[in-house]
């Protein structure tokens, strides 16, 4: 049995269920599906850069001024002494390093998975972000909340409350997201089957990308929200069945807070 | 050995090499890769609708007024008495009907191939079309030329000559296309390999989609054009090697003209 992998995630303010982020959820799903032992290290937003620099995690993007921008998820694997950033890179690393665990990106599908990512993003995320991002701050701890609000308001160029206030703007964005999700259904059914997953009968990394967006939606808007009821009812209940299949991979460990 | 499949394609005006269309080339590549016997039936643009109606081919799109719009490629398979429209649907049909031939869309990759198509199209085709489409008429026979010019000018809302006239507009579009092609290289190399094909070491339907666009470019702009030299030089010669690999699947039969 390998030593536990350290998995760096951002805590929400729900003590019972701290995990909430769409991208870190992708890595948690990967670890849970593979059944690898791991421990979550909770990092508040303003500490991400310092923690990443301390553990030698690569930056994943650039800020507007050209300086490195650090994001989570990151993992540190004590078994190989490697530190890996970015959810897709982590999925590839886990597939390669632990070949006896369920493969997330099967042989011969890596480039098609990359293309999937580029097709998925414009189809689903712009409208979903408008609806969910304004609700994220209320789910965060105070330091992260302030950081999230400041950075996202800079990104959108407006106050979070003005992006999609309750009413027509929000309705339109939500309808746009449901239409995008229906487009994914059309891709899945294009060959005349009603398969649940992109690879057919087993979960792969494309599905994990979709599930990351959906569990984010369910966590932030609430499992009892009107919006989540819409998702569950869409396309004959396909997405409810889809998320049911992910249910057994949603364990969240207690973990511990990062020490700077 | 099955009876020859009838393959409906649009003739160019080069008697030695009539095939030129990016979408019908996809089907020709499929047939050639599978080594299935077939005969080309050449259909001029203004006759496509009448021929499709005569052989019972489904329309693939709708016109602005809601009436059916017929496109090629279409195949009629005398072995199964089926008529199939649209290149991806044809690829699926050939994989299913002739399972002992090389598979184009391997088991478990259909939905990822659909996603590829939706990622490929905005990345590569808008700029490429601006450069190539204005040059298509000079490669067509007179009846097709007039039809092509009228329909494409209606689509673009301007004369073909004004879409990307030699000079900055055309340069910009061509650079945009090369950038899109380089983006495909990044998808192929994202896992740290320099594999030539999307499935790794064997040609699949995603590659055939790319090759359809590239052979169109080479045929219309010319294998000795500056533009084709750019394609061959890009990314360390990757796309020259890619098209070399397709070389043995580029046989064009003499065929016969459609009878209305």
């Amino acid at each position: 049995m390998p030593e536990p992998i350290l998995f760096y995630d951002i805590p929400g303010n729900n003590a019972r269920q701290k995990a909430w982020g769409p991208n870190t959820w992708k890595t948690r799903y990967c670890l849970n599906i593979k059944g690898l032992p791991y421990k979550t290290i909770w990092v508040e937003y303003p500490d991400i850069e310092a923690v990443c620099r301390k553990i030698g995690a690569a930056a994943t993007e650039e800020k507007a001024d050209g300086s490195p921008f650090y994001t989570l998820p990151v993992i540190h694997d004590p078994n190989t002494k490697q530190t890996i950033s970015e959810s897709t890179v982590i999925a590839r690393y886990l597939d390669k390093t632990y070949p006896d665990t369920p493969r997330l990106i099967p042989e011969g599908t890596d480039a098609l998975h990359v293309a999937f990512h580029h097709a998925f993003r414009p189809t689903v995320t712009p409208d979903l972000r408008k609806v969910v991002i304004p609700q994220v701050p209320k789910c965060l701890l105070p330091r992260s909340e302030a950081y999230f609000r400041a950075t996202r308001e800079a990104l959108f160029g407006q106050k979070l409350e003005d992006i999609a206030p309750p009413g027509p703007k929000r309705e339109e964005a939500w309808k746009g997201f449901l239409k995008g999700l229906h487009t994914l259904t059309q891709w899945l059914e294009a060959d005349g089957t009603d398969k649940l997953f992109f690879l057919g009968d087993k979960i792969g990394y494309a599905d994990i990308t979709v599930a990351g967006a959906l569990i984010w939606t369910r966590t932030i808007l609430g499992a009892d929200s009107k919006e989540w009821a819409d998702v569950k009812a869409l396309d004959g209940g396909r997405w409810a069945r889809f998320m049911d299949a992910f249910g057994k991979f949603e364990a969240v460990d207690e973990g511990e807070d990062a020490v700077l």
Side-chain angles (χ1 to χ4, degrees), chain A:
Chain A
M1 197 70 168
E3 272 194 70
I5 290 167
L6 301 183
F7 163 45
Y8 295 80
D9 194 358
I10 304 157
N13 64 8
N14 181 337
R16 274 191 312 111
Q17 165 61 292
K18 284 188 180 177
W20 65 275
N23 293 310
T24 53
W25 254 115
K26 289 188 224 168
T27 294
R28 188 179 299 279
Y29 278 134
C30 291
L31 291 164
N32 285 341
I33 288 168
K34 285 180 172 292
L36 291 166
Y38 69 94
K39 182 167 74 174
T40 305
I41 309 294
W42 300 107
V43 188
E44 290 229 50
Y45 265 111
D47 302 331
I48 291 175
E49 178 166 338
V51 167
C52 284
R53 286 183 183 274
K54 183 179 167 188
I55 63 176
T60 55
E61 297 170 41
E62 277 190 2
K63 295 182 190 170
D65 66 3
S67 63
F69 183 55
Y70 295 88
T71 60
L72 299 186
V74 162
I75 63 166
H76 173 75
D77 186 346
N79 305 289
T80 62
K81 311 223 180 324
Q82 290 194 59
T83 303
I84 316 282
S85 312
E86 206 274 314
S87 53
T88 308
V89 182
I90 292 170
R92 279 190 196 113
Y93 167 84
L94 296 174
D95 272 348
K96 192 173 169 184
T97 310
Y98 300 100
D100 297 335
T101 60
R103 183 138 182 185
L104 306 167
I105 304 175
E107 179 80 26
T109 70
D110 193 278
L112 290 177
H113 268 90
V114 177
F116 168 82
H117 175 74
H118 287 277
F120 167 81
R121 214 173 35 188
T123 303
V124 166
T125 62
D127 281 322
L128 182 61
R129 287 163 57 92
K130 285 182 204 160
V131 176
V132 179
I133 282 180
Q135 306 300 319
V136 168
K138 70 177 185 199
C139 300
L140 297 179
L141 293 163
R143 290 180 63 228
S144 285
E145 182 185 345
Y147 180 95
F148 185 91
R149 178 175 286 280
T151 52
R152 269 51 178 186
E153 292 188 345
L155 193 72
F156 280 92
Q158 57 186 330
K159 285 192 69 70
L160 292 185
E161 286 71 14
D162 296 336
I163 294 172
K169 263 197 185 170
R170 187 177 152 102
E171 280 301 311
E172 190 191 344
W174 184 247
K175 271 190 199 159
F177 161 67
L178 292 176
K179 191 178 163 200
L181 201 52
H182 175 65
T183 298
L184 298 193
T185 298
Q186 293 178 308
W187 298 354
L188 285 158
E189 296 182 352
D191 63 354
T193 69
D194 64 349
K195 59 184 174 300
L196 206 50
F197 305 119
F198 274 84
L199 299 173
D201 56 2
K202 63 175 182 211
I203 289 175
Y205 192 66
D207 307 297
I208 289 170
T209 301
V210 181
L214 291 180
I215 197 168
W216 180 54
T217 305
R218 191 180 72 196
T219 305
I220 302 297
L221 302 184
D224 56 358
S225 63
K226 180 203 160 292
E227 286 84 4
W228 192 249
D230 288 345
V231 170
K232 286 196 293 184
L234 190 71
D235 295 332
R238 156 186 286 279
W239 298 105
R241 293 194 297 280
F242 178 86
M243 288 308 285
D244 283 349
F246 275 88
K248 59 179 175 291
F249 305 117
E250 292 176 358
V252 180
D253 65 316
E254 192 180 340
E256 59 187 56
D257 292 340
V259 178
L260 283 176

